[in-house]
Amino acid sequence: MEHILSLLIWLPVMGMVAIAFIPREKEDLIRTSAAVTTGTQFLVTLLLWSAFDSQDGSMQFKEWAEWIPSFNIAYHLGVDGLSLPMVILTGMLFFIGVFVSWNIKKAVKGYFALFLLLNTGVMGVFLSLDFFLFYIFWEVMLLPMYFLIGMWGGPQREYAAIKFFLYTLFGSVLMLVGILGLYFYCGKTFDILELTRVAPEALGGILWWGMSAIKVIWVLLFIGFAIKVPVFPFHTWLPLAHVEAPTAISVLLAGILLKLGVYGIIRVNYGLMPDGVYWFSTALALLGLINVVWGGLCALAQKDLKKLVAYSSVNHMGYSLIGMAAVVAAGEAHGLNMKAAQAGLGGAVFQMFNHGTISAMLFILVGVIYERAHHREIEGFGGLATQMPIYTGITAVAFFAGLGLPGLSGFISEAMCFIGAFPVYKGIVIASTIGILLNAAYFLWAFQRIFFGELNEKYSDLPEINRMELFTVVPLLIITLFLGIYPAPYLDIISSTMDSIINHVVSFATFASM
Amino acid sequence: MENIFIKYSLLILFLPLAAFVIQIFFGKRLPRQGDWVSIGAISTTLVLAITMFVAMIMKDDPDFYQEASFTWLDMGDFEIRLGFLVDNITVIMLLVVALISTCTHVFSTQYLKGDIRYSRYFAYLGLFTFSMNGIVLANNLMSMYMFWELVGVSSYLLIGHWFEKDSAANASKKAFLTNRVGDIGFFIGIMLIYNAIGSFAFSDIFDGVSSGLIAGSTLTLAGIGLFMGAMGKSSQFPLHIWLPDAMEGPTPVSALMHAATMVAAGVYLSVRIFPILTPDALLVVAYVGGFTALFAASIAITQTDIKKVLAYSTVSQLGYMILAVGTGVYTAAFFHLLTHAMFKANLFYGSGSVIHSMHHALHEKHDHETDPQDMHNMGGFKDRMPITYWSMLFSTLAIAGVPLFSGFLSKDAILAGTLSFAQHHPAHFLLPVFGFAAAAMTAFYMFRMMFLTFHGKPKMPDIIDDIHESPKEMTGPLILLGTLSLFIWYTLPYFNPMSTHGWFTDLVVPSDSVVPGNPSAQQIEEGAHHAHHLAMYISIAVAVLGIFLSWFTYIKKGLSAQAWTDRFGFLYDWSFNKYYFDENYDKYIYQPSFRLAERVAWIDWELYDRYFINGFGRLTNWASKVTGKFDFDVIDQFIVDGTGRMAALFGRKLKTIQTGKLQNYVLYVTAGIIILMVIQSF
Amino acid sequence: MDQLNNYLFIAAALFSIGLFGVMTRRNGIAVLMGVELILNAANINFVAFSHFGGMNLDGHIFALIVIVLAAAEAAVALAIVINIYNNLNTINVDEASRMKE
């Protein structure tokens, strides 16, 4: 158990090395090794969960080793209630991702090698407690993603890949500047825990070009993370990347990579610059509102199913942003409303997980139909419900989960975000409830056009969803349903950590320093 | 005995869910496609509900109240507790749901015989019953909202049962989305209340309101927000548009959901939250309800589709109930909900029976063009389908408000409440006007429907021989519910067709509003009591008038419907076309919304992304070209290479004195020495 | 005639003639002869300074050494010239430019 986190991070690299030694013709062996690697990793994440103490809101399973002492950089890992669910989700989605990409024919060896490298990057970001390490993993993630989209993607893959790459790199650079700012002004350390202790006070009162250093660094880091989320107006890489990426990569992109943005904001911006949270929270809620409405309207107008789902991600992450802004409710200005803060932040984090499962499911389902019909034009289908009843049923559940139907997990997190943010941002929340309608509108309209009506003659021999595909979707479906009916297991994991984050933000926010 | 309420409620709640799960996964593989599973589960709930009902009667306690709740999610300070509330209203409502649901299940076995999605249909019925019971049992707004939405989904699925038809698919989507509009308000209301009170439970909310945690305009807004949910579900103006379209669903579904139970959920919610509605909110409620009652009735008059008539009649009757809540006699609203559930469900079954028979008859003739639901194709069915006829007639008499029938009692209670309200607030004299006018119209159009369908000469004589009474699975519910349209069931143990006094009024006693400024339950009761006689006379008069006009027009032919239509052509057109609501919504709401969405998507993709974001790319590209040019032409070619070229030039120039001839060098040396010496000498 | 200046004038004249020869003649032998003249001009100066400067026989000794060196140098130089002649068939020093090219 001592090095369980390291194991999680480096396991995929080991798998990658193993794959490197397999001759490229033995494709099945390559796939199997990837499945074994990610499967083992998934099991380890479950093991981690079972050993995790959910009462403890601080970091657990910490690992620390000196790395570059001259710059005070260390190999520092840890997991808490914020990252643990994401680690489990990562383990699961990568495992599922292997099966989703089972039908990849082109350069199988390279594909799975990059796939596993991506896995390491993602896992590393979630587990790093050293900012330098964090940044390195952040960048490690970027590279395989570029190739996975650029080589195995759709017709516009090169354009999409380079756009994705440049967009996120732009964010990373701003983030790097922010990190260095923190490094030099907070006692020359990259350690996130140390910075969490030191930074809120060390940064106080420093002015750069007449602006508070906190604001500057907040915005720098925020943009870096916001691009990943993606927050309007940094969202346009997403539809393109999603549409062009192969199914499994879309799944991972929506399921995990987008969550890194929210994770980063909560871990870094909230932890290191609580003053900035107060300063920025209204903007955060507003951005959430824009995400909800803009994403919803865009989704409504899409003709391509995958793009619709992509824009639904923009829409759904908006709820998360609104929920995150609610953390200020626990401050004195809002009457120490701990309830609202817990609901909001908990909702945001829950939404992040739920969107992970739901959007993954949606992308897999889009992939299923694309593989059969070779197009994704919503108008081009029709009446598939009679032809593929099981597929229709599963898609219906996924769509209903997407539109926030009670009994499915998305509802709870959306409701929590709303309830949490309401005491502080009444107007914004009321305006964003229009999202409830928009979600339903675009999902149901698309559902009708694809599945209802007379069966399109072209598709009268479309095969039903097969076992392998069912295997990838059903677990996600069960999670969505289970957490929708009984969310307590999830909320138990996060609640102590949420409390400590809220208390941290509230107790360190001084305003004097701004 | 004490605990059976909670235990049975749990069973009643979950049995239909179990049926749903079994049907979804195994339905197709079971014998008879598993309809017996669903029927078994639902009839068990009926037995349980009857047991609870009997227990309630035996208890005879108007204040009976049981609650059980559990922590659903807990984040420390923020927690949501879900739970049950069982009181007399709950028990009655559970019985209604179980009874109508059971009838629907039985009726459906024949009505949907041979349907390709037979087991799926029963599964959805189970889901619906589960969700509806959830609403009924909820003791808090949160679980109510959750089941509320689930009811919406099951309605979506059942309206869209024949999704091959575009009209059905559209109707199901429309129903869900229109309901969601109301749900937005519902949710905002929940948030306003939770924000002020910190709990979702009704009991906490009532306590909170009475202790003034939330008051004034906030409370009004919260009340109106919650009421918006009711408007959506109970199809109140201006969200009424979905219910008539929902008739695209199978007729038993219309009976169960879109007449008796689901649409009554809005009324049920209003009844539950009545104590926290402020006078302002109540006024809104009353006007919405009253206006809807009249408005929908005026549309029903001209409809030719038998189910559309019933649909608008349902909207109108729901308006009555809402009106009753708004004027304070909310127990009367619930009473009307109860009676209406019986007779309206029965009317739908009757129409289903007629349609079923028409459908078969047309099928025999291989006629797939004629609309089996259009009353202009019916007529003279009275002798062909006697059970259907008599059963429907009972229910029609009930809905028209004729004494001796159940509708008379409940309608009278509502009208008395409304009249009394207007007596106390003369400014709102319109409310009883709405009520009585709608009552007259109701009597008229319901008998119009009866006359057109069952009386007169067959309009399609060639099919009349193929019109048969429906099988016993369908006539059974008709007979049962037709009987339940009689007043006696609602006034026992008393026998007075002119008074509502009975077990219901004994057990369902209005409680005071917790909002300061509202009249107490006793004041409302007394007011209604005073208005009772006047209201009764007027309502009997208008009912008789309506029935007489209908008879005079359609049987006696003393008045030509055609002539009236021609004379008031534009009114007729308005009514016939439902006041062009769908068209106008389409023109002013849906289409602009889609256009907005398309515009936004265009801006996002074609403008923002293509020019702004990619503009950065292009800018960078351009800048790199410029710097590249500068780098090559200026720095490299001019400065760097220039230095070299300069060196080479000097080299070439200097090379010429490097002759390699020693003699020259010696000469230079000598010359140098001489020059030095010359310089030295100065 | 026992003035130092007179010797110096002669030496200067010899040096100038030798230098002129070195600078102007293309014939290797002639150049060598110019060099001899320059050396002998130096010898004269040595002896003259030695004699008139009261420096015992130091100047004479240097003059003798120079004569010996000059002889050796002449031998080597003539050997080079002969080799140049053997190789290039000329003793014109301008044409002995193989190293330059």
Side-chain angles (χ1 to χ4, degrees):
Chain A
M1 291 311 273
E2 208 169 312
H3 297 295
I4 187 165
L5 302 185
S6 285
L7 181 66
L8 280 175
I9 294 178
W10 301 112
L11 201 70
V13 172
M14 290 187 247
M16 192 174 84
V17 171
I19 285 179
F21 283 106
I22 302 174
R24 62 176 64 251
E25 309 81 54
K26 298 197 172 173
E27 296 186 346
D28 270 335
L29 187 60
I30 292 173
R31 293 187 186 111
T32 316
S33 343
V36 169
T37 312
T38 49
T40 317
Q41 190 196 36
F42 180 40
L43 287 180
V44 176
T45 60
L46 293 179
L47 192 68
L48 182 68
W49 179 23
S50 68
F52 183 83
D53 177 11
S54 60
Q55 299 303 310
D56 183 358
S58 58
M59 285 292 165
Q60 301 180 33
F61 304 99
K62 275 191 275 195
E63 285 181 40
W64 193 90
E66 221 166 50
W67 185 20
I68 312 176
S70 49
F71 289 111
N72 213 354
I73 295 171
Y75 176 77
H76 193 182
L77 306 178
V79 65
D80 66 358
L82 177 61
S83 48
L84 179 68
M86 298 319 296
V87 167
I88 298 171
L89 186 69
T90 305
M92 185 172 69
L93 286 186
F94 270 93
F95 181 55
I96 287 175
V98 171
F99 296 96
V100 175
S101 21
W102 206 261
N103 289 333
I104 295 270
K105 295 278 183 295
K106 179 178 163 188
V108 175
K109 184 166 164 177
Y111 179 87
F112 282 104
L114 288 169
F115 186 87
L116 292 176
L117 185 61
L118 180 66
N119 188 347
T120 290
V122 173
M123 211 44 126
V125 172
F126 282 129
L127 295 176
S128 303
L129 288 183
D130 185 279
F131 228 148
F132 193 79
L133 194 63
F134 180 90
Y135 186 74
I136 287 187
F137 281 124
W138 187 273
E139 294 299 308
V140 161
M141 225 160 53
L142 212 51
L143 193 80
M145 208 61 195
Y146 171 74
F147 287 110
L148 287 167
I149 297 175
M151 289 185 64
W152 286 271
Q156 273 189 293
R157 54 180 177 262
E158 277 114 4
Y159 170 52
I162 195 75
K163 192 166 188 171
F164 164 79
F165 191 84
L166 290 180
Y167 228 130
T168 25
L169 197 66
F170 168 70
S172 314
V173 170
L174 295 185
M175 192 165 102
L176 184 64
V177 176
I179 293 174
L180 292 179
L182 285 168
Y183 176 73
F184 285 112
Y185 282 87
C186 306
K188 300 219 170 179
T189 178
F190 283 115
D191 191 309
I192 290 179
L193 296 185
E194 181 66 19
L195 283 172
T196 310
R197 259 192 307 280
V198 176
E201 278 160 10
L203 283 178
I206 300 173
L207 290 180
W208 290 344
W209 314 288
M211 275 180 291
S212 152
I214 297 177
K215 289 183 187 173
V216 175
I217 298 181
W218 219 97
V219 170
L220 287 173
L221 291 171
F222 177 74
I223 293 176
F225 295 128
I227 287 177
K228 267 268 151 46
V229 170
V231 178
F232 180 91
F234 306 113
H235 64 286
T236 53
W237 63 270
L238 178 98
L240 186 71
H242 269 313
V243 167
E244 297 303 323
T247 300
I249 302 308
S250 298
V251 168
L252 295 175
L253 199 57
I256 306 172
L257 268 71
L258 303 189
K259 311 304 169 299
L260 290 165
V262 176
Y263 172 80
I265 293 171
I266 295 177
R267 169 75 78 227
V268 176
N269 287 23
Y270 277 49
L272 272 48
M273 289 157 288
D275 286 319
V277 177
Y278 273 83
W279 169 65
F280 204 75
S281 64
T282 308
L284 203 59
L286 265 177
L287 287 171
L289 167 64
I290 297 174
N291 257 35
V292 167
V293 176
W294 190 269
L297 285 173
C298 283
L300 190 60
Q302 293 313 313
K303 309 238 172 333
D304 181 324
L305 182 58
K306 207 168 181 186
K307 218 164 164 185
L308 182 149
V309 177
Y311 273 111
S312 86
S313 292
V314 176
N315 167 284
H316 280 121
M317 294 317 284
Y319 298 116
S320 222
L321 295 177
I322 293 172
M324 278 159 69
V327 92
V328 299
E332 282 187 20
H334 298 288
L336 302 172
N337 192 342
M338 196 67 183
K339 273 184 185 178
Q342 281 175 345
L345 192 64
V349 173
F350 196 20
Q351 171 74 358
M352 169 167 126
F353 185 86
N354 290 338
H355 180 255
T357 51
I358 294 169
S359 66
M361 201 152 62
L362 290 171
F363 276 113
I364 293 174
L365 291 166
V366 174
V368 167
I369 195 70
Y370 182 65
E371 196 144 288
R372 285 163 174 67
H374 306 292
H375 76 89
R376 293 182 301 254
E377 288 297 312
I378 297 173
E379 299 286 356
F381 297 106
L384 293 191
T386 33
Q387 181 65 24
M388 307 167 75
I390 300 175
Y391 177 74
T392 307
I394 292 172
T395 311
V397 178
F399 274 22
F400 278 123
L403 64 83
L405 185 77
L408 298 164
S409 59
F411 164 74
I412 302 169
S413 46
E414 282 170 26
M416 280 170 74
C417 289
F418 280 148
I419 291 169
F422 189 77
V424 192
Y425 303 110
K426 290 195 180 61
I428 293 175
V429 171
I430 288 178
S432 54
T433 46
I434 190 76
I436 296 179
L437 183 65
L438 280 176
N439 282 2
Y442 65 74
F443 272 124
L444 290 188
W445 196 35
F447 193 79
Q448 181 188 350
R449 285 179 289 170
I450 295 170
F451 294 103
F452 289 170
E454 290 291 343
L455 178 64
N456 190 334
E457 287 301 317
K458 263 195 293 186
Y459 300 119
S460 54
D461 53 354
L462 220 56
E464 180 63 284
I465 186 168
N466 62 33
R467 271 165 202 274
M468 173 84 92
E469 288 155 349
L470 276 177
F471 174 72
T472 59
V473 168
V474 169
L476 298 169
L477 200 75
I478 292 171
I479 291 174
T480 310
L481 196 62
F482 179 78
L483 289 180
I485 294 166
Y486 190 57
Y490 182 90
L491 296 174
D492 283 348
I493 298 178
I494 66 167
S495 67
S496 308
T497 308
M498 293 301 112
D499 278 357
S500 60
I501 292 172
I502 294 166
N503 288 328
H504 176 79
V505 170
V506 172
S507 59
F508 270 100
T510 54
F511 297 109
S513 56
M514 293 286 283
Chain B
M1 203 58 193
E2 205 49 48
N3 282 326
I4 68 154
F5 289 100
I6 295 293
K7 273 186 208 155
Y8 284 15
S9 312
L10 266 173
L11 276 174
I12 289 179
L13 182 63
F14 287 109
L15 273 172
L17 182 67
F20 163 70
V21 173
I22 292 170
Q23 286 285 49
I24 277 283
F25 287 106
F26 310 108
K28 272 204 162 151
R29 270 166 275 172
L30 294 172
R32 285 181 57 97
Q33 295 211 24
D35 57 2
W36 50 273
V37 175
S38 295
I39 293 173
I42 299 296
S43 39
T44 314
T45 66
L46 178 60
V47 172
L48 293 171
I50 291 172
T51 317
M52 277 169 78
F53 184 77
V54 171
M56 173 188 84
I57 296 283
M58 309 250 280
K59 250 183 155 43
D60 196 23
D61 175 11
D63 297 324
F64 169 70
Y65 183 88
Q66 276 196 346
E67 210 171 349
S69 54
F70 69 102
T71 303
W72 184 50
L73 64 82
D74 182 9
M75 301 257 321
D77 295 280
F78 175 72
E79 64 167 354
I80 299 181
R81 293 176 68 78
L82 302 185
F84 285 164
L85 178 161
V86 184
D87 62 6
N88 293 341
I89 292 181
T90 314
V91 174
I92 295 169
M93 195 69 192
L94 281 177
L95 179 62
V96 172
V97 174
L99 180 66
I100 309 287
S101 192
T102 309
C103 289
T104 298
H105 275 75
V106 174
F107 192 89
S108 299
T109 55
Q110 284 303 317
Y111 195 83
L112 276 107
K113 202 170 195 173
D115 190 272
I116 51 167
R117 283 180 290 273
Y118 188 73
S119 66
R120 195 55 60 85
Y121 170 84
F122 278 96
Y124 295 155
L125 282 184
L127 179 64
F128 166 75
T129 312
F130 161 71
S131 319
M132 188 67 212
N133 285 332
I135 292 182
V136 173
L137 285 165
N139 78 337
N140 64 86
L141 287 172
M142 191 40 103
S143 52
M144 194 156 211
Y145 181 83
M146 287 164 62
F147 285 113
W148 195 263
E149 290 268 295
L150 284 177
V151 162
V153 156
S154 35
S155 147
Y156 172 81
L157 295 169
L158 284 166
I159 297 170
H161 180 71
W162 290 312
F163 55 70
E164 286 90 346
K165 280 197 293 181
D166 279 338
S167 55
N170 279 328
S172 63
K173 183 182 67 192
K174 188 175 180 182
F176 195 87
L177 293 182
T178 314
N179 268 302
R180 273 239 152 164
V181 175
D183 292 354
I184 289 178
F186 193 177
F187 199 79
I188 292 173
I190 292 178
M191 287 193 290
L192 278 165
I193 284 175
Y194 182 78
N195 183 31
I197 291 167
S199 170
F200 296 108
F202 288 126
S203 49
D204 294 341
I205 293 169
F206 296 157
D207 290 349
V209 172
S210 61
S211 61
L213 284 176
I214 176 170
S217 56
T218 321
L219 185 58
T220 306
L221 273 180
I224 292 175
L226 296 177
F227 176 63
M228 262 182 78
M231 278 165 71
K233 203 111 291 179
S234 285
S235 189
Q236 295 298 294
F237 175 86
L239 301 180
H240 64 280
I241 46 164
W242 68 270
L243 186 59
D245 285 25
M247 296 302 132
E248 290 291 340
T251 306
V253 167
S254 307
L256 172 61
M257 302 168 73
H258 307 125
T261 54
M262 167 183 156
V263 288
V267 179
Y268 183 78
L269 172 69
S270 311
V271 168
R272 280 277 178 231
I273 62 167
F274 171 80
I276 64 161
L277 292 174
T278 57
D280 290 341
L282 282 173
L283 262 186
V284 173
V285 173
Y287 271 98
V288 168
F291 182 72
T292 308
L294 182 65
F295 167 84
S298 73
I299 296 177
I301 284 182
T302 56
Q303 297 306 308
T304 53
D305 183 319
I306 186 168
K307 280 184 77 179
K308 285 272 158 71
V309 175
L310 290 174
Y312 279 104
S313 139
T314 307
V315 175
S316 169
Q317 297 301 310
L318 291 166
Y320 265 114
M321 300 177 212
I322 297 291
L323 171 66
V325 174
T327 51
V329 284
Y330 75 96
T331 52
F334 186 63
F335 191 36
H336 195 55
L337 191 165
L338 172 66
T339 57
H340 174 259
M342 303 302 165
F343 61 68
K344 186 49 74 57
N346 190 41
L347 286 167
F348 269 103
Y349 292 140
S351 75
S353 172
V354 171
I355 294 164
H356 187 70
S357 160
M358 274 289 280
H359 193 80
H360 278 275
L362 289 169
H363 193 72
E364 290 290 315
K365 292 271 178 291
H366 304 290
D367 181 352
H368 298 288
E369 299 301 311
T370 310
D371 183 358
Q373 304 190 6
D374 193 336
M375 294 187 297
H376 287 154
N377 299 328
M378 300 173 187
F381 287 6
K382 189 175 114 180
D383 300 324
R384 308 292 308 175
M385 307 178 74
I387 302 178
T388 306
Y389 170 70
W390 284 105
S391 159
M392 274 183 91
L393 184 64
F394 271 39
S395 292
T396 305
L397 288 165
I399 196 173
V402 174
L404 291 179
F405 293 92
S406 62
F408 169 77
L409 302 174
S410 53
K411 215 177 217 180
D412 182 46
I414 291 174
L415 291 172
T418 313
L419 199 59
S420 141
F421 185 80
Q423 283 167 350
H424 288 87
H425 307 85
H428 302 298
F429 68 92
L430 269 179
L431 292 174
V433 174
F434 286 151
F436 288 113
M441 287 192 194
T442 306
F444 178 81
Y445 68 72
M446 283 312 294
F447 273 90
R448 168 179 176 263
M449 183 197 89
M450 288 304 286
F451 293 148
L452 284 176
T453 308
F454 292 102
H455 293 264
K457 288 197 185 68
K459 296 183 194 78
M460 289 183 72
D462 49 337
I463 60 163
I464 194 74
D465 291 334
D466 288 319
I467 299 287
H468 299 293
E469 186 56 276
S470 298
K472 61 179 185 310
E473 286 90 341
M474 289 164 76
T475 49
L478 278 169
I479 295 166
L480 175 64
L481 292 181
T483 322
L484 286 175
S485 300
L486 291 169
F487 79 98
I488 182 73
W489 304 104
Y490 307 93
T491 57
L492 284 172
Y494 307 104
F495 189 87
N496 178 1
M498 292 298 158
S499 160
T500 52
H501 190 57
W503 62 265
F504 184 88
T505 46
D506 284 345
L507 287 172
V508 180
V509 177
S511 54
D512 291 338
S513 170
V514 293
V515 181
N518 270 343
S520 73
Q522 203 191 344
Q523 286 167 321
I524 295 171
E525 186 105 339
E526 280 173 5
H529 191 72
H530 284 301
H532 175 68
H533 283 286
L534 180 58
M536 192 167 73
Y537 298 140
I538 302 177
S539 78
I540 292 174
V542 294
V544 170
L545 177 71
I547 295 168
F548 172 76
L549 271 177
S550 187
W551 172 82
F552 196 63
T553 312
Y554 293 100
I555 300 292
K556 190 81 193 315
K557 305 282 187 193
L559 277 172
S560 162
Q562 194 55 44
W564 282 90
T565 308
D566 293 342
R567 185 177 276 174
F568 297 101
F570 72 100
L571 280 179
Y572 174 83
D573 280 346
W574 270 11
S575 163
F576 187 73
N577 290 302
K578 301 119 189 175
Y579 298 97
Y580 297 102
F581 259 87
D582 285 328
E583 289 79 1
N584 284 321
Y585 277 177
D586 189 64
K587 193 165 161 198
Y588 296 110
I589 296 180
Y590 312 145
Q591 292 309 326
S593 307
F594 285 128
R595 276 204 295 280
L596 175 70
E598 264 162 21
R599 189 59 55 84
V600 165
W602 181 82
I603 288 171
D604 190 67
W605 200 247
E606 300 294 334
L607 211 61
Y608 174 70
D609 185 62
R610 174 169 290 181
Y611 291 105
F612 188 72
I613 296 297
N614 287 3
F616 280 106
R618 247 174 254 136
L619 198 66
T620 316
N621 212 343
W622 176 79
S624 77
K625 272 189 193 136
V626 169
T627 45
K629 213 167 162 51
F630 181 78
D631 189 64
F632 189 75
D633 289 358
V634 178
I635 305 218
D636 187 67
Q637 294 294 299
F638 189 74
I639 298 182
V640 176
D641 286 12
T643 313
R645 272 200 304 276
M646 287 302 280
L649 183 73
F650 278 109
R652 268 199 307 282
K653 296 292 174 200
L654 286 170
K655 200 167 76 180
T656 51
I657 60 166
Q658 295 278 35
T659 56
K661 290 171 186 155
L662 280 171
Q663 288 157 329
N664 288 359
Y665 298 159
V666 174
L667 180 63
Y668 302 148
V669 170
T670 311
I673 290 169
I674 290 167
I675 291 167
L676 281 176
M677 284 167 78
V678 169
I679 291 169
Q680 194 90 58
S681 64
F682 285 105
Chain C
M1 279 300 280
D2 52 352
Q3 291 269 315
L4 176 61
N5 278 354
N6 298 338
Y7 296 98
L8 293 186
F9 276 126
I10 293 188
L14 270 175
F15 179 81
S16 299
I17 294 164
L19 187 61
F20 183 75
V22 169
M23 286 196 298
T24 55
R25 306 308 297 235
R26 297 288 179 266
N27 187 318
I29 306 291
V31 172
L32 273 178
M33 286 163 74
V35 171
E36 291 299 322
L37 285 179
I38 290 168
L39 288 171
N40 282 316
N43 282 347
I44 289 173
N45 273 5
F46 273 129
V47 176
F49 281 117
S50 180
H51 177 76
F52 293 101
M55 286 187 263
N56 302 328
L57 289 175
D58 297 353
H60 299 82
I61 292 163
F62 269 104
L64 285 170
I65 290 169
V66 170
I67 289 167
V68 172
L69 274 172
E73 177 249 318
V76 173
L78 281 170
I80 290 172
V81 170
I82 289 165
N83 267 308
I84 288 172
Y85 181 76
N86 285 343
N87 281 306
L88 303 174
N89 218 9
T90 175
I91 51 169
N92 188 337
V93 288
D94 279 0
E95 290 175 29
S97 60
R98 191 174 287 173
M99 294 277 275
K100 185 192 167 194
E101 278 145 17

